[in-house]
Amino acid sequence: MNTTPQQILNIEDALVSEANPARLNGPLDYERCARLHNYLVAYGWMARHGQETPNLDVLASQPFIFADEDTQAVRERLHPSVNSFLDSIFSPEPGFFYWINDISMQLVDNIFLGEDNDLDDLERFVIIYGTVLELGSHCVGVVYDQQLHRAAFPMTLENLDSVEPIGEHEDMWFPLETILTHWIYMLRIGKITTDSPEGEAPKELANSRSQIGLWSWLPYCPSQVDSTVAAIDRYSAAIEARMPSGSLLPVSRDAPLFTDVELDAASIPEECFIRSVLTRMRTPRFRAIAPGLEVPHDTMAFTARQRFTGVPREQEEWGNNIPPVLIFAAADSSHTVGFGEEIRWLFFAPGDEIPFDENDLIPTGLYSESVRRCQYDCEEAGFRLLLPFWDHDGARMSDGTSISPGSVTQLFQHGIFHPFGGERRAQRLERLIDRWRELVESGVWTVGRDGVEGTIDQFHIDSAKNYWIAPDW
């Protein structure tokens, strides 16, 4: 076990990355996982007690519930690498992380009845971390498969369909160090915060956090604005580099796409994620940013297309409700969809007065996510791609589930299950833009004089594999 505060907090070489991948073969990498676990214990301990560094004497003195005779029967059913992990970690206080309460070590082969156990005298499945009770009455948690040495995070029993049978859901099982790294990353960018000064939310979001114990989830954080703007700028540069010579529009590459004054005219709320992105991203020097979707170079046309930003919404004491903004509209304005239940559910809160009915036509294109701030697991940095057709034969969301028949907004989305915590929130805009850049750089999408070629129908006729985004947080 690491013996100094500096050793506990210095985990750079333990974090999973492309340059430092997780172990894909063999038993649990218990030393690496213990370091990441102990970092989270120390982080929470410092936040609770207002300390700048962890007090090792206090942490080491915490009684560990899996170190006595009463737990011996459980430990005898665990793989040696899992027992070594238990021997190497600090015992967390209740409320270990945003979605997680404590170390559980519950043997749960009984809830994976369809899976074979070839381990003889060992249990195959064990819950290492239990879900906090605030998230449901049928809690599960981070389940470790001692046969395959992979972990999944079904928060509740209702999520089990997303992780089993394992042979059909391998994308949802990860090395344990990958899950722990994602949690630490969310802390470091400020997506999940604590009540400590180091974890303070931006001023405009101070009352908009969703809190579970010590931990808070923010609708968005400044780092997400930075990374989304950077993703859009990289994508624009990839398109411009492939355009014929002399075809770039005569606009300043360094000018922001919109000013605050222009967004005020479009009734975009102040201090929200999408305003921050639109006033910071560089203006693309082309017309088509995706097949059939155009860059809003005409600010008056952009304002006229906004059907939702000027609609009065129910406001709540913990923060504003943020409407969806049509960012990149379909170039053909005849591409619309009727205002149905799917759009009503995604774009409005239950208490809102809705000035639309099923006969109203809604412009298609890429919208920012509509959120009720402070709602559990909301993602203001998300998006909805509203398309004028619903038949996506074979298309799947990140969690592997098929796009629902009749859906006009599910392409590129997460789905219900999130392998690193949470459920049902929107896919992040940054990940969509990165995926679009991959389609351009790989030649799946071609580039011409106006930018990305093709009509919006390309989203309908292309191979479904092009419109799947790998699971992430």
Side-chain angles (χ1 to χ4, degrees):
M1 180 180 293
N2 294 323
T3 57
T4 69
Q6 291 73 26
Q7 288 175 319
I8 292 175
L9 298 178
N10 183 12
I11 55 164
E12 302 309 312
D13 61 332
L15 296 169
V16 174
S17 65
E18 289 187 9
N20 189 23
R23 176 187 290 175
L24 298 180
N25 298 298
L28 175 68
D29 191 346
Y30 72 88
E31 292 179 324
R32 186 176 191 177
C33 291
R35 289 180 64 192
L36 299 173
H37 167 99
N38 288 342
Y39 175 91
L40 286 167
V41 173
Y43 191 104
W45 191 93
M46 290 186 292
R48 285 184 179 91
H49 301 286
Q51 302 290 323
E52 294 183 0
T53 56
N55 185 320
L56 295 183
D57 291 337
V58 173
L59 286 177
S61 68
Q62 301 295 314
F64 190 56
I65 59 175
F66 285 93
D68 55 33
E69 294 181 359
D70 294 336
T71 61
Q72 188 60 35
V74 172
R75 298 199 64 162
E76 289 175 354
R77 305 287 296 280
L78 301 179
H79 189 275
S81 63
V82 178
N83 273 314
S84 295
F85 172 74
L86 293 178
D87 291 334
S88 304
I89 62 174
F90 291 124
S91 182
E93 297 178 85
F96 173 57
F97 193 59
Y98 181 71
W99 298 285
I100 291 298
N101 187 45
D102 206 343
I103 287 282
S104 173
M105 306 313 297
Q106 180 182 354
L107 306 177
V108 288
D109 275 10
N110 62 309
I111 66 174
F112 288 88
L113 297 176
E115 304 291 343
D116 294 331
N117 185 343
D118 298 325
L119 295 175
D120 298 326
D121 58 336
L122 298 182
E123 199 85 358
R124 177 171 177 180
F125 298 98
V126 55
I127 298 175
I128 294 183
Y129 302 107
T131 305
V132 294
L133 295 178
E134 289 91 335
L135 296 182
S137 58
H138 305 99
C139 293
V140 184
V142 175
V143 179
Y144 187 74
D145 181 346
Q146 298 194 117
Q147 186 166 299
L148 298 180
H149 299 290
R150 293 287 188 275
F153 188 10
M155 295 197 306
T156 65
L157 289 174
E158 289 76 11
N159 293 144
L160 287 178
D161 286 345
S162 297
V163 301
E164 64 167 343
I166 294 176
E168 299 176 10
H169 297 85
E170 292 181 3
D171 289 333
M172 299 298 114
W173 291 80
F174 299 85
L176 180 60
E177 59 264 36
T178 298
I179 295 177
L180 294 171
T181 293
H182 274 81
W183 292 353
I184 292 169
Y185 176 76
M186 284 186 269
L187 283 178
R188 289 188 165 188
I189 69 169
K191 182 66 176 181
I192 291 177
T193 67
T194 66
D195 287 333
S196 67
E198 294 77 12
E200 287 182 353
K203 182 179 180 181
E204 68 272 17
L205 297 175
N207 296 320
S208 300
R209 61 179 77 191
S210 169
Q211 189 156 358
I212 300 178
L214 173 73
W215 310 94
S216 296
W217 172 275
L218 297 184
Y220 76 94
C221 61
S223 291
Q224 287 185 284
V225 174
D226 295 340
S227 58
T228 303
V229 168
I232 295 173
D233 288 345
R234 286 194 302 268
Y235 180 45
S236 294
I239 295 172
E240 292 178 5
R242 289 163 173 79
M243 292 174 65
S245 176
S247 61
L248 295 177
L249 295 178
V251 296
S252 172
R253 180 75 172 91
D254 295 326
L257 183 60
F258 289 106
T259 65
D260 282 312
V261 172
E262 290 167 335
L263 294 184
D264 289 342
S267 299
I268 311 300
E270 296 181 2
E271 297 180 330
C272 66
F273 171 80
I274 195 58
R275 175 183 280 259
S276 297
V277 169
L278 294 176
T279 53
R280 285 185 49 192
M281 62 175 280
R282 295 174 175 176
T283 301
R285 295 178 291 179
F286 49 82
R287 293 183 177 86
I289 196 163
L293 302 184
E294 63 180 14
V295 177
H297 289 295
D298 184 334
T299 58
M300 293 183 65
F302 172 81
T303 299
R305 291 189 186 111
Q306 305 304 324
R307 301 295 304 277
F308 302 105
T309 58
V311 176
R313 292 173 179 265
E314 180 184 34
Q315 299 303 325
E316 305 178 57
E317 60 180 343
W318 51 73
N320 294 334
N321 292 333
I322 306 299
V325 176
L326 178 52
I327 311 167
F328 306 128
D332 184 346
S333 61
S334 68
H335 285 309
T336 59
V337 296
F339 182 80
E341 284 299 315
E342 183 178 13
I343 298 175
R344 178 191 299 268
W345 183 78
L346 289 172
F347 286 1
F348 287 95
D352 291 335
E353 293 185 14
I354 302 177
F356 304 104
D357 60 35
E358 60 186 12
N359 296 317
D360 285 300
L361 298 179
I362 306 302
T364 54
L366 181 66
Y367 285 80
S368 63
E369 176 72 338
S370 176
V371 300
R372 298 178 66 197
R373 287 183 174 176
C374 196
Q375 190 175 40
Y376 163 73
D377 209 30
C378 74
E379 183 54 84
E380 194 170 324
F383 71 89
R384 301 288 169 175
L385 181 58
L386 187 58
L387 295 170
F389 38 76
W390 58 266
D391 181 13
H392 302 284
D393 186 32
R396 294 182 176 273
M397 292 180 281
S398 295
D399 67 355
T401 56
S402 298
I403 289 180
S404 303
S407 172
V408 294
T409 67
Q410 290 183 355
L411 201 65
F412 291 110
Q413 287 297 332
H414 269 299
I416 294 175
F417 180 69
H418 295 249
F420 305 108
E423 56 185 347
R424 298 184 184 274
R425 65 180 177 268
Q427 183 73 266
R428 288 173 283 137
L429 178 58
E430 172 189 354
R431 302 210 72 221
L432 175 73
I433 299 301
D434 279 340
R435 184 71 187 113
W436 284 3
R437 178 172 51 83
E438 291 170 358
L439 294 176
V440 165
E441 292 177 343
S442 64
V444 172
W445 285 355
T446 58
V447 174
R449 296 190 62 83
D450 290 328
V452 179
E453 296 181 313
T455 69
I456 201 170
D457 290 330
Q458 191 159 338
F459 289 106
H460 174 57
I461 62 177
D462 268 358
S463 172
K465 68 180 182 181
N466 295 329
Y467 302 128
W468 179 80
I469 295 177
D472 199 83
W473 68 268

